[in-house]
Amino acid sequence: MAESQRLFAVTISAKRKPGMDEDAYHKYISQTHAGHLKHLLVKNRIVDYTMQHNTSGLMKDIDQLFPNLSSVNHSPYDGFITIVFRDMQDYINVKNDPHYLSVVNPDHANFADGPSTMMSFGWFERHVAGGQLVEG
């Protein structure tokens, strides 16, 4: 078993820009925006970068997943993006990188509803990785 370590994580509860088509939003963040960001994250030795896409198509069937609950609160967010850093300094380095400042950050205006998007910061721990238990 591998040993878990405390890592710094940023999770973005993302909302798409008003008027933007849902499919166009998911395609944009997966291809265009992630394309702007991935190489920068690798350069800075980031641990993990994931996206969870919440779509209306999936949400319409969510009650089937929880048939014993009287109601299920649907998330108002279009996606959740988690980036795991070795430490807080790695996050600061990414945010101060010229590519982030000139390409990645301005790109948010093309797809994101900034005022409705929420961010959380905290330490990240892994309990299962690659189908194996991770000891903490």
Side-chain angles (χ1 to χ4, degrees), residues 5-101:
Q5 63 187 94
R6 276 199 180 192
L7 301 165
F8 180 72
V10 175
T11 298
I12 302 160
S13 302
K15 296 277 288 188
R16 70 181 181 271
K17 181 168 73 172
M20 186 174 200
D21 175 76
E22 182 179 44
D23 291 335
Y25 169 80
H26 290 289
K27 182 178 179 181
Y28 192 92
I29 65 170
S30 287
Q31 296 175 6
T32 304
H33 189 70
H36 294 322
L37 186 56
K38 290 189 290 191
H39 296 288
L40 175 62
L41 296 178
V42 169
K43 178 180 110 175
N44 284 278
R45 302 180 351 189
I46 300 317
V47 176
D48 207 14
Y49 172 40
T50 61
M51 291 182 185
Q52 174 185 325
H53 298 270
N54 292 353
T55 66
S56 56
L58 290 172
M59 294 305 276
K60 71 178 177 55
D61 295 327
I62 199 166
D63 293 325
Q64 294 176 20
L65 298 173
F66 301 98
N68 298 325
L69 296 179
S70 57
S71 68
V72 176
N73 292 324
H74 296 210
S75 171
Y77 297 101
D78 296 294
F80 294 91
I81 295 88
T82 300
I83 306 174
V84 181
F85 301 84
R86 293 174 302 152
D87 54 37
M88 193 180 303
Q89 187 60 50
D90 285 347
Y91 174 72
I92 293 167
N93 293 344
V94 166
K95 297 282 285 189
N96 289 328
D97 187 279
H99 178 74
Y100 182 87
L101 295 170

